Amino acid sequence: MKAVLRWLGLVVLAFVALQLFFVVRIAAMVVIDPESTSFQRSEAWTLLTTKGSVPWRQQWMPYASISDQLKRAVIASEDDGFVSHDGVDWNAIEKAWERNAKAEALANKAQARAPDRPVRAPKIRGGSTITQQLAKNLLLSGERTLLRKGQEFVLTLLLEQLLSKQRILEIYLNSVEWGEGVFGAEAAAQHYFRKSASRLSATEAARLAVMLPAPKRFEKTPGSAYLAGRTRTILGRMGSAELP
């Protein structure tokens, strides 16, 4: 029994120590720009092992230097309640769950009608906020487990408590992936439009924003009908997007 209690005590201490480590890391980001994220380091390793080199484009831009058009476009596309929620948008999660359930039901019906014909797996939609995406990419691995999801929730709350909304959006826009080896708004603006992120037009900003769910895929299909249609949709929403 003592051995079990000792083991549990060590587990609790390790958990507390890990959370304190995260608190210190996030608190430091109030004034220190993160040099890289967990996701970026993982991508760098993948590029190195598969291609033998790490083509990397990233240049930090202060919040005030990033086009408001891009800020509005990203908020409109990824998290329209960004300025008002506490890190988690429960309504968005509920809607995503309902959409996923409907998609799965349709896939099951199609499979039942034609059991010998392969059916495309339903597209899973997430309800993650900008803060949740940042928590995951900044400090966590890409594995999908309940434990990692729980840690993501804790980190999301820490980010919201320790950093301002402006700072969260600034770090997000400077670290998010926009293509293979392309990270951050400035690198994306230069890569796709040969201009600074401070000079993006509304249409250019919307086009970058709609790439975020799958940037490497959309990088290869820049003229797709989906991108064009989604860009028009985001353009229509940008006017109501509230900035922090």
Side-chain angles (χ1 to χ4, degrees), residues 165-214:
K165 289 284 189 178
Q166 279 195 6
R167 184 59 170 162
I168 290 171
L169 187 58
E170 178 185 13
I171 296 174
Y172 178 87
L173 290 174
N174 275 288
S175 60
V176 72
E177 183 185 41
W178 252 301
E180 187 173 274
V182 181
F183 291 93
E186 180 65 14
Q190 295 289 352
H191 179 59
Y192 294 106
F193 302 113
R194 301 293 186 267
K195 62 171 61 175
S196 172
S198 63
R199 298 177 52 244
L200 289 170
S201 69
T203 301
E204 290 164 345
R207 174 56 70 97
L208 287 181
V210 301
M211 293 179 67
L212 286 177

Side-chain angles (χ1 to χ4, degrees), residues 51-205:
K51 298 191 174 183
S53 63
V54 185
W56 201 267
R57 282 160 287 195
Q58 184 178 21
Q59 180 181 341
W60 193 276
M61 290 285 282
Y63 182 84
S65 298
I66 300 173
S67 166
D68 282 351
Q69 301 280 20
L70 183 59
K71 297 168 191 170
R72 293 184 189 280
V74 169
I75 289 174
S77 179
E78 294 294 298
D79 184 6
D80 58 6
F82 175 67
V83 299
S84 58
H85 62 59
D86 58 359
V88 179
D89 189 336
W90 299 106
N91 289 331
I93 291 175
E94 183 179 358
K95 290 178 181 177
W97 185 88
E98 291 174 352
R99 287 195 298 266
N100 292 334
K102 289 179 181 178
E104 186 175 356
L106 289 173
N108 290 337
K109 287 182 180 179
Q111 187 68 72
R113 287 195 299 267
D116 298 327
R117 183 182 302 173
V119 175
R120 181 182 296 180
K123 182 179 180 181
I124 303 300
R125 299 175 182 271
S128 294
T129 64
I130 285 174
T131 313
Q132 286 176 288
Q133 292 178 46
L134 181 61
K136 177 180 65 177
N137 293 334
L138 193 61
L139 297 164
L140 298 176
S141 68
E143 63 179 349
R144 295 187 176 185
T145 64
L146 287 176
L147 184 62
R148 192 206 61 80
K149 198 66 180 176
Q151 183 64 76
E152 178 190 309
F153 178 76
V154 172
L155 290 176
T156 297
L157 297 182
L158 288 175
L159 284 168
E160 289 280 341
Q161 290 298 315
L162 297 174
L163 304 181
S164 68
K165 289 284 189 178
Q166 279 195 6
R167 184 59 170 162
I168 290 171
L169 187 58
E170 178 185 13
I171 296 174
Y172 178 87
L173 290 174
N174 275 288
S175 60
V176 72
E177 183 185 41
W178 252 301
E180 187 173 274
V182 181
F183 291 93
E186 180 65 14
Q190 295 289 352
H191 179 59
Y192 294 106
F193 302 113
R194 301 293 186 267
K195 62 171 61 175
S196 172
S198 63
R199 298 177 52 244
L200 289 170
S201 69
T203 301
E204 290 164 345

Side-chain angles (χ1 to χ4, degrees), residues 21-22 24 72 106 150 174 189 240:
F21 167 77
F22 285 139
V24 172
R72 293 184 189 280
L106 289 173
N174 275 288
S240 59

